[in-house]
Amino acid sequence: MKYRNLGTTGEQLSALGLGCMGMSFAYGPTDDKESLATLEKALDLGINFWDTADMYANGANEELISKILVPNRDKVFIATKFGFRFKDGVAGPSSAKGTYFDGSPAWMKVAVEKSLKRLKIDTIDLYYAHRVDPNIPIEETVGAMADLVREGKVRYLGLSETSATSLRKAHAVHPIAALQSEYSLLTRDVENGILQTTRELGISLIPYSPLARGLVTNTLDVATLAADDFRRTLPRYQQENIANNNRLVVEFAALASSKDCTPAQLALAWVLAQGEDIIPIPGTKKRKYLEENVAAINVNLTSADLTAINELIKRYPIVGERYSEEAMKMVNH
Ligand SMILES: NC(=O)c1ccc[n+]([C@@H]2O[C@H](COP(=O)([O-])OP(=O)(O)OC[C@H]3O[C@@H](n4cnc5c(N)ncnc54)[C@H](OP(=O)(O)O)[C@@H]3O)[C@@H](O)[C@H]2O)c1
C-alpha cells in the first residue's frame, strides 16, 4: 500500500480508501457476510481510510461497519457525514422526494450523537457536512462543526460538493481537511476552479464515485440493474444515453487492455495521477473488486497514456448529467 497525507493534518491515509455505501444501499442486493469479509480484506491490504454516512440505509451502513471497526479501531481512519434527512422517517437516496438537506447546528448536534452511537466509537476521525445548506450560512454550519472538534467528538472537518467560494468561507472559520466531491474521468466539475482552491488552501480532495458508479469498469449492464438501484434515477445511466456512453467505455477497456490492466484499474490510476493531494474512495462490497482495485496503485501512466485517455473522452463526450435535476441543484454550492 502507498500512503498520502490528509491535507496538512499529518495523517497518512492509504492512497485508495474504501467507499462503504454500496454495502448497505444504492447498488442492488446487499450481502452483509461478503461486506464484512471485504472490510477484513481491506485491513489485510492496508486500506485504512473508510467512508460512510448517516444517510446510507438510514444508519444501517454505520452499524454494519462498526462490527469490524470497533475491534480494529487503531487501524482505521473513519469518515462519516451528516445533513440528509428523511420526511416521515422514510429513507431513500438524495434524489428521493422525501429526502431533504439540513445543515443546521441543531440537527448536526443530534446527528453526530447518532453516528457515534451506531459506529460504537467515542470520536469520528473525519466529519463531513454532506452538502452545503443553501438556507444556512456555511460559517454557521462549520462553526458548529468546530465545536465538535473542541469537544473531542470529531478530529477533522470535511465538506462535500462545495463550491470554491463556500470552501474559502468555511476554511476561514476552521481548517477544512478534506473536500469530498464526485471526480472521475467522466465527472470533471472540480477542475473548474475547485481543485485549484483546495490546493491553495492545503485541503485534500477525496474523489467519490471514481469509477463513475461502475460505468467505466465495462461490466455494468443497466438493463439488468435491480428495480431500486439508485443508478436507475440518474440521467447518464438511462437506456437512451447508455448506447453512446458505452462506446466510450468499450474503447476505454481496449486502452486498459493495452496497458495490461483492467478498466477499473486504469480509471483509478488516472484519478491517482491527478495529484498526491487526491485520495479516491472507490466503493465495493466484494473482495474480488477490492483486490482488483488496490492493484491500481501500481499502474504507472505515462504522459502519452494520459493524453490518449483525454483524447478518448473528447471523442465520446459522456451524455447525461450525473444526478437528477433536483439533486444537481445541491452540488457545487
Ligand atoms: N459525498 C457524496 O455525496 C457521495 C456520493 C456517492 C458516494 N459517496 C461515497 O463514495 C464511495 C464510492 O463511490 P460509489 O460507490 O458511488 O462509486 P464507484 O466507486 O465509482 O463505483 C462503485 C460501483 O462500482 C462497482 N465496482 C467497484 N469495483 C469494481 C471493479 N473492479 N469492477 C467492476 N465493478 C466494480 C461496485 O460494485 P459492487 O457494489 O458490486 O461492489 C459499485 O457498483 C461510496 O461508497 C460512498 O462512500 C459519497
Side-chain angles (χ1 to χ4, degrees):
M1 179 52 63
K2 291 179 184 163
Y3 293 85
R4 291 185 168 187
N5 292 319
L6 175 68
T8 55
T9 64
E11 299 288 340
Q12 290 267 296
L13 305 186
S14 47
L16 286 174
L18 174 59
C20 299
M21 177 178 80
M23 295 179 180
S24 310
F25 165 76
Y27 300 145
T30 59
D31 175 350
D32 285 359
K33 203 167 158 229
E34 178 62 20
S35 292
L36 293 174
T38 303
L39 291 166
E40 294 273 15
K41 177 61 73 180
L43 292 173
D44 294 347
L45 294 169
I47 299 173
N48 67 2
F49 180 32
W50 298 0
D51 187 80
T52 180
D54 60 358
M55 64 106 53
Y56 300 160
N58 206 6
N61 193 236
E62 289 180 329
E63 277 171 2
L64 180 75
I65 289 170
S66 75
K67 294 183 184 173
I68 309 296
L69 172 68
V70 172
N72 296 285
R73 186 66 192 97
D74 55 331
K75 299 189 192 108
V76 180
F77 188 93
I78 187 74
T80 190
K81 325 180 189 78
F82 76 95
F84 281 110
R85 299 183 69 180
F86 308 118
K87 279 188 191 121
D88 307 321
V90 181
S94 57
S95 56
K97 274 208 172 66
T99 306
Y100 64 104
F101 193 78
D102 183 353
S104 67
W107 172 245
M108 187 215 65
K109 283 181 193 149
V110 175
V112 74
E113 296 302 336
K114 286 174 182 260
S115 284
L116 285 166
K117 201 166 165 208
R118 284 187 296 247
L119 288 164
K120 298 184 184 64
I121 55 177
D122 300 323
T123 308
I124 292 162
D125 295 311
L126 175 58
Y127 199 45
Y128 294 100
H130 214 148
R131 292 288 181 270
V132 173
D133 188 333
N135 303 311
I136 295 178
I138 183 76
E139 292 88 341
E140 260 182 50
T141 305
V142 173
M145 291 168 78
D147 287 343
L148 299 181
V149 178
R150 284 186 279 275
E151 291 163 16
K153 292 178 179 167
V154 159
R155 294 176 66 212
Y156 302 107
L157 302 187
L159 296 171
S160 180
E161 289 287 1
T162 307
S163 68
T165 307
S166 296
L167 209 49
R168 281 183 197 284
K169 286 184 190 167
H171 197 68
V173 174
H174 185 93
I176 301 298
L179 171 71
Q180 181 176 131
S181 290
E182 184 166 347
Y183 189 39
S184 70
L185 280 165
L186 308 187
T187 299
R188 311 285 279 269
D189 306 25
V190 296
E191 291 176 359
N192 209 1
I194 293 174
L195 192 46
Q196 207 183 331
T197 306
T198 55
R199 288 190 167 146
E200 189 191 317
L201 301 177
I203 298 170
S204 287
L205 178 73
I206 312 298
Y208 77 77
S209 303
L211 298 168
R213 302 182 190 266
L215 187 59
V216 296
T217 65
N218 198 29
T219 59
L220 192 68
D221 178 1
V222 293
T224 61
L225 291 179
D228 63 349
D229 193 300
F230 178 52
R231 290 167 289 203
R232 283 193 179 274
T233 69
L234 306 178
R236 77 173 43 157
Y237 308 88
Q238 299 306 306
Q239 205 64 56
E240 68 265 24
N241 293 332
I242 211 72
N244 171 82
N245 297 342
N246 274 348
R247 286 190 307 168
L248 163 64
V249 168
V250 167
E251 289 225 16
F252 184 69
L255 210 56
S257 165
S258 74
K259 286 283 298 175
D260 286 329
C261 67
T262 69
Q265 289 166 343
L266 187 59
L268 293 174
W270 180 88
V271 180
L272 287 166
Q274 304 312 305
E276 282 289 316
D277 53 344
I278 293 183
I279 310 174
I281 47 166
T284 184
K285 48 182 176 274
K286 299 185 180 87
R287 281 169 288 180
K288 66 172 180 176
Y289 286 164
L290 187 74
E291 287 180 303
E292 178 185 330
N293 295 347
V294 90
I297 287 170
N298 297 320
V299 174
N300 294 314
L301 299 183
T302 62
S303 59
D305 294 329
L306 293 168
T307 305
I309 292 171
N310 276 331
E311 278 172 4
L312 187 60
I313 307 284
K314 275 193 212 136
R315 212 171 325 134
Y316 299 114
I318 191 91
V319 177
E321 285 286 12
R322 59 191 175 106
Y323 276 120
S324 66
E325 209 180 318
E326 271 311 297
M328 279 307 286
K329 289 183 193 152
M330 290 295 294
V331 300
N332 301 330
H333 217 285

